[in-house]
Amino acid sequence: MTASNDLPALSGGLFPTKHNRQIARALARIDSGTTLAIRQDRAQIERIAQTTQDGMVAVCQLAGLEASLAQLTPHAAGRIEAVAVAGAIQIVGVVHNAGRSL
């Protein structure tokens, strides 16, 4: 028996061997699994990016409101700042948890 007899035939033809079909199915599963993982990663990144953007806009709005209110009522500026900081910290927590909850 020669070494060439030990190797499977390379011709696929119209009727691939059972082994070739099994390999093709396994490769297809790997490919579809990789595609799914990539899509899930992209969805997670998009969700985190959107949550981050929303959080930054919300903090900006809080800061603007804080400045306006402090200007209107200077005697309450310290308390207004405390409430704004507490709200901003909560927003940061939501942004931080956005990627962890998936």
Side-chain angles (χ1 to χ4, degrees):
M1 198 161 153
T2 64
S4 63
N5 290 337
D6 295 336
L7 299 175
L10 296 177
S11 62
L14 294 175
F15 304 103
T17 66
K18 180 180 177 183
H19 183 68
N20 287 345
R21 288 190 306 270
Q22 289 172 336
I23 290 172
R25 282 194 300 271
L27 290 174
R29 281 193 300 272
I30 291 169
D31 186 46
S32 65
T34 301
T35 300
L36 179 62
I38 289 169
R39 287 183 183 160
Q40 288 172 336
D41 289 346
R42 284 184 186 155
Q44 184 176 9
I45 289 168
E46 288 172 13
R47 178 173 178 228
I48 293 167
Q50 186 62 51
T51 303
T52 301
Q53 181 178 343
D54 293 345
M56 290 188 297
V57 169
V59 168
C60 183
Q61 290 171 338
L62 282 176
L65 180 59
E66 175 190 357
S68 296
L69 292 174
Q71 194 173 35
L72 289 173
T73 54
H75 62 281
R79 287 173 282 217
I80 292 168
E81 179 186 11
V83 171
V85 168
I89 289 171
Q90 292 299 313
I91 291 169
V92 169
V94 170
V95 171
H96 176 71
N97 290 332
R100 297 176 65 199
S101 63
L102 295 177

